[in-house]
Amino acid sequence: LLDLASHFRAQYVVLLLVSALLAALVRWRALVVVCIVAMLVNVACVAPLFVARGVAVAADPPPLRLLAFNVYTANPSRDATISHVLNADADLVLLQEVDTAWIEDLTLKAVGYRRVATHGRSDNFGITLLVREASEEALKIESARTFDITGGAVDVPSVDAHLTWHGRRVALLGLHTLPPVSPRIAAERNAQLIAAAQWVERQDGDVIVIGDLNATPWCAPMRDLLDRTGLVNSIQGYGLGQTWPAGAALAGIPIDHCLHSSDLVTLERTVADIEGSDHRALHVTLGWAQEQHIAVDESVSE
């Protein structure tokens, strides 16, 4: 319950501010102080999302564009999703909650995209990774597979892909964790996030972890993942960027994420409503940080 409560930091700021104002109207000073202190605690959690990293971006290689979307298995508007994918021109597309019918529709209608790893399921945990065929001259898929990142403990497929983008090696993990709706399932979600951290530690080169993580930036398992791996959340500098539930701006929370190694820089991060899904689509454009060289004055003798 405490983990679930941690997801609504932005909403607490608004509620505590309103409570402080109401308490001030009735001159309940002690309550005003309590509300303001509690509000500032939550402001301190939310504010860093609005502060950009300020990292210089290299001109080469060109940016890599990604799209991640939890399509909703029973989505009645599949054509709207496929149209969005085609119009996005993303180099890599991760779709979650795909079943056999979704895979058939994608195969027939997602013209210009090729499936490189797919695991369709009748429940809400199918997953697929698509690559834009027009990008394949620069984007080489070295290997791609679906696997259970927990080694059978949770039985939910993830995508493990290794690629090169204009010669830069990138390891990508497409991850869909369980929603923490009970103590047992929350523990399984945490096990997936721990396994994701272990996966990151095994990689060489640049790393991207993307998908529906069913965790906000403020919950402890997400903080542990970022602290352990040193990954950067692409949401940093772009505000709240709520992705679920779709159409509920005031109650929305950011649970769909793109995390990346510090050598990468988020150039753009947007979310989009697409008809038929309870999630919003996450668009992220990544560049590479400019290498910092220390100037040495050769005229100074040793």
Side-chain angles (χ1 to χ4, degrees), residues 54-166:
V55 178
V57 181
D60 187 64
L64 177 67
R65 293 168 296 180
L66 302 105
L67 164 61
F69 185 39
N70 185 324
V71 301
Y72 180 49
T73 305
N75 189 326
S77 305
R78 292 178 179 172
D79 285 346
T81 294
I82 295 172
S83 176
H84 187 88
V85 169
L86 295 178
N87 291 329
D89 287 333
D91 302 299
L92 289 168
V93 177
L94 180 76
L95 301 179
Q96 298 146 102
E97 294 201 18
V98 294
D99 58 7
T100 302
W102 264 110
I103 293 169
E104 291 176 354
D105 281 348
L106 289 168
T107 302
L108 291 173
K109 300 176 183 179
V111 180
Y113 280 87
R114 180 172 66 88
R115 288 187 288 113
V116 295
T118 300
H119 187 145
R121 294 191 15 161
S122 58
D123 58 14
N124 293 331
F125 290 95
I127 194 167
T128 187
L129 180 67
L130 312 177
V131 59
R132 191 166 72 118
E133 293 176 352
S135 303
E136 289 195 270
E137 182 176 345
L139 179 59
K140 307 296 184 183
I141 305 295
E142 305 296 340
S143 65
R145 62 175 179 137
T146 61
F147 77 122
D148 179 358
I149 196 169
T150 63
V154 179
D155 189 27
V156 170
S158 301
V159 169
D160 173 26
H162 296 262
L163 55 100
T164 58
W165 173 248
H166 289 272

Side-chain angles (χ1 to χ4, degrees), residues 55-60 168 263 288-294:
V55 178
V57 181
D60 187 64
R168 293 292 299 255
D263 287 340
W288 271 259
Q290 188 173 21
E291 294 183 6
Q292 300 298 311
H293 299 282
I294 301 174

Side-chain angles (χ1 to χ4, degrees), residues 52 124 198-199 229 244 263 277 294:
N124 293 331
Q198 295 169 342
W199 179 90
T229 61
W244 181 88
D263 287 340
S277 177
I294 301 174

